[in-house]
Amino acid sequence: MVNEDQDRMERDEITVVIPVKDREKLIVRCLDSVKEQSWRPLRVVVVDNGSRDKSRQAVAEWAAANSGDGLSLTLVDESRPGAAVARNRGLREVTSEYMLFFDSDDEMKPDLVSTVMRTFLDNPRLDMVYWRTETLFADGRRKTSKFTVDNIWRYQLYHSLLATQRYAVRTSFFRASGCWNEALGGWDDWELGIRLLLNNPVMKGIDDVLAVIYPQRESITGENFHTKAGEWELAIDTAERDVRASDYRDKGWLIDMLNYCRVILAAHYRREGCSGLADSLLRATLERDDVSASDRIMLRLIYRYTSAGGRGAALLWR
């Protein structure tokens, strides 16, 4: 009977990995939302990534006061900087069959974990479950994430369908897909989502908002693109290498979409007043051997439309 109970726990437990750095005023809110989940057993792995404030102490105190009754928290340290590094460190602690990553400044809706786990257990072949999120801005604006069950590739490449707080995954599948790329300083979850899709997961989407995101001024994405110029290009170049190294049957189609991403990034540089960055990236993209003459015309039009403030240019491409 003990072995049966252990087997059930390993099968039905899910682990939430949360990196934290200098979030002492926010991490408790996040952990409280995890505690409100009705699903048990539930394990939380928090990775302190060199916090200079009292984040680590806040997590330790929360764990002492709230662990038990099927809820456990493991606190580990990672001195090397970077969210991807911290997430990979947390991944090493995971022993459950299913897992998800979450950010220390965001909140789970109370039914996130139960909805996800019931979906997994009702469909044993599933590798991934994904859902909507809502972003709540400081000025009160709300924005619901894009969602699809039909155009997975387009929505990942253009809207980051599989952003960090938007999916749960079978642990073995995630590890087989290569984990987080620690060389990327931006759009690392976007690039990871591409690799996950290249590994042909069995997926199910839940058209419900299951998490709330609170953007922070000092977040990895920041408030503009030009201050981290080069990081975004590196993520796109890395994604292209992922595609070329894969067995995906239509690599050219995916690379066409990545070229669109390059042109949109160039347009953002132009809108931010960085014409040098914009011109250089646009020129390099249009001069690529895999961009046809007709595509150059369309990409130039998309660039001009987007740099002038236009939205929804993806509808014009592929």
Side-chain angles (χ1 to χ4, degrees), residues 148 196 238:
T148 185
L196 291 169
T238 301

Side-chain angles (χ1 to χ4, degrees), residues 223-235:
E223 297 183 297
N224 57 55
F225 290 95
H226 69 268
T227 54
K228 294 190 69 174
E231 296 289 355
W232 321 120
E233 292 90 335
L234 177 60

